[in-house]
Amino acid sequence: MTIRTAVIESHTLLRYGLAQLIEQQPDMELVGEACSGAEATHLVAAQRPDVVTLAVTLPDVDGIALARQLRDRDPELGIVVLTSRGEDDVLFRAMETGASAFVPKTAPTSEVLGAMRHASVAASSFTASGLADAFARQRGAGTRTGLSPRERETLDLLSHGLSVPAIAGRMYVSQSTAKTYVTRLYEKLGASNRAQALMTAVHQGLIHSMAS
């Protein structure tokens, strides 16, 4: 069965390279390309691909947020997130949104193609080559700080000056859930407000600086 694939990538050369790679595969068919979230939404609705490759960074939308929108609309769509940002938090965000695979843009073509083929037959099963290592780092960090991954993410966003509503938006949770994360974080740091929490976090080495 031919895997009907669409490429969503703002970088022209990367988009062209992916398109060429797909067209060279006997079991794949390129059904379209998009360079923005708006174009991608129309493309997926019109062409109904089996798999999309999706960049994290797009000019008009966060790629992870777009992945969530696409997953909500089509549980069977294979979503391969391609990124030049290899941070663990990006990987875990991709996994939480329902992506099928997470692949660095520096990965060998065989890994990229393998992720596409995986996504075509197991859209709801997440795969990433560095997943085991990321979980190990997550467990180690949790042991050292006593903070959950979500609480550490909340701390990072607080340190960059984000409000609770903005944190909710970045983490794709409700405002009440974001407030819960902030409250638990304050409790664990022995703080009663943002300033105290950030000062304690700096002293404990959990963050390096605070937004001015």
Side-chain angles (χ1 to χ4, degrees):
M1 183 179 69
T2 301
I3 303 170
R4 304 179 70 255
T5 308
V7 174
I8 305 168
E9 169 63 63
S10 60
H11 193 287
T12 302
L13 290 178
L14 286 175
R15 189 171 66 254
Y16 176 79
L18 284 168
Q20 291 297 304
L21 179 64
I22 292 167
E23 290 182 330
Q24 293 170 4
Q25 308 308 309
D27 60 337
M28 294 184 181
E29 175 189 358
L30 180 69
V31 299
E33 304 172 34
C35 61
S36 67
E39 288 185 4
T41 300
H42 291 301
L43 173 62
V44 172
Q47 296 296 330
R48 300 300 300 272
D50 303 310
V51 173
V52 296
T53 66
L54 174 59
V56 169
T57 303
L58 293 169
D60 59 342
V61 69
D62 178 88
I64 303 297
L66 179 58
R68 167 55 67 192
Q69 295 172 18
L70 295 176
R71 170 59 66 237
D72 289 344
R73 292 171 184 171
D74 185 357
E76 301 302 319
L77 176 65
I79 303 173
V80 178
V81 174
L82 295 174
T83 180
S84 56
R85 298 168 54 200
E87 298 98 329
D88 290 348
D89 68 310
V90 181
L91 185 155
F92 288 126
R93 283 177 60 210
M95 181 171 64
E96 290 174 358
T97 59
S100 312
F102 179 90
V103 185
K105 290 181 179 179
T106 55
T109 56
S110 59
E111 184 176 336
V112 177
L113 291 169
M116 294 180 194
R117 293 183 174 111
H118 162 84
S120 71
V121 297
S124 61
S125 175
F126 183 77
T127 183
S129 60
L131 186 59
D133 291 339
F135 274 125
R137 288 190 291 270
Q138 181 189 66
R139 287 192 296 270
T143 299
R144 291 192 300 273
T145 66
L147 303 181
S148 71
R150 279 306 212 181
E151 289 163 353
R152 282 186 281 109
E153 185 177 357
T154 301
L155 175 60
D156 180 67
L157 296 175
L158 283 174
S159 72
H160 286 83
L162 272 69
S163 64
V164 170
I167 289 172
R170 286 286 293 273
M171 297 176 72
Y172 309 107
V173 299
S174 67
Q175 289 193 33
S176 62
T177 299
K179 288 179 181 178
T180 298
Y181 292 148
V182 171
T183 299
R184 290 175 180 170
L185 178 65
Y186 286 1
E187 290 175 351
K188 290 186 177 182
L189 294 176
S192 59
N193 56 49
R194 178 194 296 255
Q196 289 180 3
L198 294 180
M199 288 181 63
T200 299
V202 169
H203 291 155
Q204 293 185 8
L206 301 178
I207 56 175
H208 298 297
S209 61
M210 295 178 286
S212 58

